Amino acid sequence: MASAGLGVRRRVVRQGDVDLAVFEQGDSSSPTVVLVHGYPDTHAMWDGVAEALAENYHVVRYDTRGAGESTAPKGLRAYRLPELGEDLFAVADVVSPAEPVHVVAHDWGSIQAWEAITDSRSAARFASFTTISGPCLDHVGHWMRRRMTAPTPRNLRQALGQLAHSWYVYLFHIPVLPPLLWRTVLGPRWGALLRAVEGVPRLPGHPAPTIGADAANGVNLYRANMFPRLTNPRVRATDVPVQVVLPARDRYVTAGLADDLERWVGAGGLWRRTVHAGHWAPASHPRAIATMVEEFVEHTGGAPMTRGLQRGRSGSPDVGFANRLVVVTGAARGIGRATAEAFAARGAEVVIADIDGDAAKAAAADIGAGAYAYQVDVADEAAVREFAEDVAAEHGVPDVVVNNAGVAVAGPFLGTSEADWQRVIDINLLGVVHGCREFGAQMAERGEGGHIVNLSSAAAYAVSRSLPAYSATKAAVLALSEALRAEFAAHGIGVTAVCPGIVATDITGSTRFAGVDEVEQQRLRRKATRAYARRGYGPERVAAEIVRAVERDTAVVPVTPEAKVGRVLARLSPGLMRKFARIDIVR
């Protein structure tokens, strides 16, 4: 049954001797998007995607023959691809007789949709095709032949890899047993298996109460089509625009199957995009899939390509950080500004965020087009949330976020006041927490990965009696980054902690020296500034390391020579580092 509360309207479409249960929602005068489910699902698998798309589109789903509320024909011939392709044509003709429809399909829904998309009538009925984890079987047949007739190590690795991932296909050709297992053992446990193995949440109506019978009927899809099409592939091309969505953790369909699609997709164009999800991405990551579909539908309707589409377009080289958005906090000067400039030089659009709004505007103006200034206090949780929402609304979800904003507090522990501690924690630690939370959530929901860089310090592991508050917060940032790297890996989001040593920036001019009067405060600032300047290690060198770390997805990056030496000594000789910590480096 269709999920309640989605405003779903039901109708039946007759195709040959099969009744197809069709479910519609959204404004029927809007562009029509037809969602085709795979095996062993029903239309309910699309509930989350459909709900998101129905705000702007006429969304249509149907239970494919033999599944859910549609009737099950008898015999293998009724499950052959030509019949399945005609089902899609029949639904499209009824739900949108005057305008072509946009097709989005998953798994076996994609396999049967390819049959219609590569039909000579496709240009008149289909405006675009988004395929997820379901190749054209004829294309696979040609793909396999090419790899076996040109057995390079890469070709053999791809072919053998896909054969291994398709283990279940062979089992489905065993007589009697697969349908019996589905009806008695697998069907009642399928929802629990999806949760345990694929991370798919239990959704109302999915798996359907009819899962045992649906899956048993669906075995005919494999028996009627797999070996005939793979051993005797036809030539199947299309001029319909095609977007291929590749789940990064797909256990059944390898990304290599999409390698040869330029042979088969013509004038409409081809796009490949990755979603960091498992095989059942539409159910586990509905918002990410809905966004990709909406971007593609809008583009085929005349809208400019989003950054994601620009990166995924076949034939467009993905060079440097072109078509990427980078957010840098504390970016008006110092390491932050140098980092923004470095990413911009590699083709990125950059968001210059700083507590000093005028300085941020000046930095953005100097960088030029594609640089956007924002004023934000990273210590203010609500302000960072609003900032992240504004960036996403105006420019899109960022691909890289550099949490650079920070302050320094120096002086003995007993001379460091509660106010000093609160300030350094609010900015150095909680400012990073706020940035990671708000932008990390955006990246995770988008599903296309990303990277977060957190500015720690060599003081995180090469501690000093003169920097207790600063070292404590920077050590916390390092630990936080390691923890987030482990958690965010499932979303394809890399996390890097960058640990500079002595770098000539103007942070010394704003350092708070605890326990001294204002005259001594200014003297110590001047002294520190001269010392850092003599060191001669500029922020642009740190920026270069940050860019390199994002490219290589490096976990921890000690930057300066002393930071690298300190990292090694902290591991090999912690006792020696404790002795160095007794030196008062301030006075």
Side-chain angles (χ1 to χ4, degrees):
M1 295 293 291
S3 295
L6 297 179
V8 178
R9 309 177 293 277
R10 187 185 186 279
R11 72 162 88 187
V12 173
V13 172
R14 184 78 173 174
Q15 206 292 100
D17 59 352
V18 174
D19 287 334
L20 300 171
V22 178
F23 306 87
E24 301 176 66
Q25 60 202 98
D27 187 348
S28 58
S29 65
S30 298
T32 299
V33 177
V34 178
L35 309 176
V36 190
H37 70 82
Y39 176 87
D41 301 308
T42 65
H43 76 282
M45 189 272 294
W46 290 108
D47 274 356
V49 176
E51 185 173 16
L53 292 176
E55 298 176 8
N56 299 308
Y57 302 102
H58 174 214
V59 180
V60 176
R61 296 171 284 163
Y62 66 97
D63 288 337
T64 60
R65 55 177 57 205
E69 298 180 39
S70 294
T71 57
K74 301 296 183 181
L76 285 182
R77 293 186 62 86
Y79 288 90
R80 290 182 177 176
L81 284 173
E83 292 297 329
L84 300 171
E86 290 303 321
D87 290 350
L88 180 53
F89 274 112
V91 171
D93 288 343
V94 169
V95 300
S96 182
E99 297 291 336
V101 304
H102 300 271
V103 178
V104 183
H106 173 252
D107 187 77
W108 260 98
S110 282
I111 293 174
Q112 57 189 279
W114 273 111
E115 184 72 13
I117 295 297
T118 56
D119 187 280
S120 59
R121 299 166 288 168
S122 62
R125 293 307 296 124
F126 305 120
S128 73
F129 177 39
T130 295
T131 171
I132 309 165
S133 293
C136 171
L137 294 186
D138 295 288
H139 296 169
V140 176
H142 289 289
W143 181 91
M144 193 66 73
R145 283 186 177 185
R146 292 186 70 185
R147 276 142 188 81
M148 292 305 186
T149 55
T152 65
R154 180 177 183 273
N155 283 348
L156 286 176
R157 188 165 56 250
Q158 282 190 329
L160 294 175
Q162 183 54 55
L163 289 172
H165 280 75
S166 299
W167 55 269
Y168 56 95
V169 174
Y170 323 128
L171 297 181
F172 284 173
H173 284 78
I174 298 173
V176 181
L177 184 60
L180 179 63
L181 286 175
W182 273 113
R183 292 179 186 274
T184 59
V185 178
L186 293 176
R189 296 167 177 81
W190 188 240
L193 285 171
L194 283 180
R195 289 197 303 278
V197 178
E198 293 289 331
V200 178
R202 192 66 181 259
L203 306 170
H206 181 262
T210 55
I211 177 64
D214 295 345
N217 293 333
V219 169
N220 290 324
L221 295 169
Y222 293 86
R223 295 176 174 177
N225 297 293
M226 276 292 181
F227 292 137
R229 292 280 57 82
L230 295 180
T231 57
N232 188 28
R234 302 162 295 174
V235 174
R236 306 290 292 187
T238 185
D239 284 328
V240 174
V242 175
Q243 174 178 228
V244 182
V245 177
L246 305 167
R249 300 192 300 276
D250 198 321
R251 298 171 184 266
Y252 314 103
V253 181
T254 61
L257 286 178
D259 279 1
D260 294 351
L261 283 177
E262 282 80 3
R263 296 181 63 195
W264 311 112
V265 180
L270 172 67
W271 288 258
R272 294 182 182 86
R273 302 177 72 175
T274 298
V275 60
H276 289 272
H279 180 77
W280 272 270
S284 64
H285 292 67
R287 282 284 175 183
I289 297 299
T291 298
M292 289 182 178
V293 170
E294 185 164 4
E295 289 176 354
F296 193 52
V297 168
E298 291 300 307
H299 173 61
T300 57
M305 282 191 287
T306 62
R307 293 185 192 87
L309 285 172
Q310 289 170 336
R311 292 196 298 268
R313 184 169 188 176
S314 174
S316 299
D318 192 16
V319 179
F321 287 88
N323 303 316
R324 286 167 174 79
L325 179 68
V326 179
V327 172
V328 185
T329 65
R333 50 182 64 86
I335 292 173
R337 174 161 177 164
T339 300
E341 291 172 343
F343 277 111
R346 296 291 301 278
E349 295 177 69
V350 292
V351 169
I352 309 295
D354 201 278
I355 195 169
D356 185 338
D358 291 337
K361 291 177 183 177
D366 288 344
I367 292 173
Y372 318 108
Y374 285 81
Q375 182 175 7
V376 63
D377 179 0
V378 298
D380 185 335
E381 180 182 10
V384 175
R385 182 178 301 113
E386 183 179 358
F387 164 59
E389 291 170 353
D390 288 346
V391 168
E394 296 173 24
H395 308 290
V397 175
D399 302 286
V400 180
V401 172
V402 182
N403 291 305
N404 165 75
V407 295
V409 173
F413 172 77
L414 294 179
T416 305
S417 69
E418 181 72 18
D420 290 332
W421 273 100
Q422 195 62 59
R423 178 171 179 264
V424 74
I425 290 172
D426 284 347
I427 298 173
N428 287 6
L429 175 57
L430 294 182
V432 172
V433 169
H434 300 154
C436 289
R437 178 190 292 121
E438 299 305 327
F439 288 112
Q442 290 181 1
M443 291 178 180
E445 182 175 281
R446 180 182 61 175
E448 294 188 76
H451 204 100
I452 295 174
V453 177
N454 296 326
L455 265 291
S456 179
S457 169
Y461 47 81
V463 299
S464 167
R465 60 176 287 187
S466 304
L467 300 168
Y470 184 76
S471 291
T473 56
K474 292 302 185 178
V477 168
L478 177 57
L480 172 67
S481 301
E482 294 276 35
L484 292 183
R485 185 175 177 85
E487 178 179 345
F488 285 2
H491 303 291
I493 302 169
V495 180
T496 296
V498 174
C499 302
I502 299 173
V503 180
T505 70
D506 60 0
I507 192 172
T508 54
S510 59
T511 298
R512 166 70 178 161
F513 289 89
V516 299
D517 60 26
E518 188 60 29
V519 172
E520 181 66 2
Q521 185 93 229
Q522 295 304 321
R523 186 189 73 80
L524 291 174
R525 285 175 178 172
R526 289 193 297 271
K527 177 183 176 182
T529 299
R530 289 194 299 270
Y532 275 52
R534 285 195 301 271
R535 173 68 176 81
Y537 200 102
E540 69 283 350
R541 298 173 71 178
V542 182
E545 292 286 353
I546 290 173
V547 172
R548 190 175 298 112
V550 173
E551 291 174 329
R552 299 177 180 179
D553 189 21
T554 310
V556 180
V557 181
V559 177
T560 59
E562 66 274 9
K564 295 175 182 179
V565 171
R567 176 91 168 150
V568 173
L569 289 178
R571 292 177 170 182
L572 299 181
S573 184
L576 180 62
M577 294 300 288
R578 293 189 189 104
K579 291 182 179 179
F580 285 148
R582 297 175 184 176
I583 300 172
D584 186 347
I585 62 174
V586 170
R587 290 177 173 80

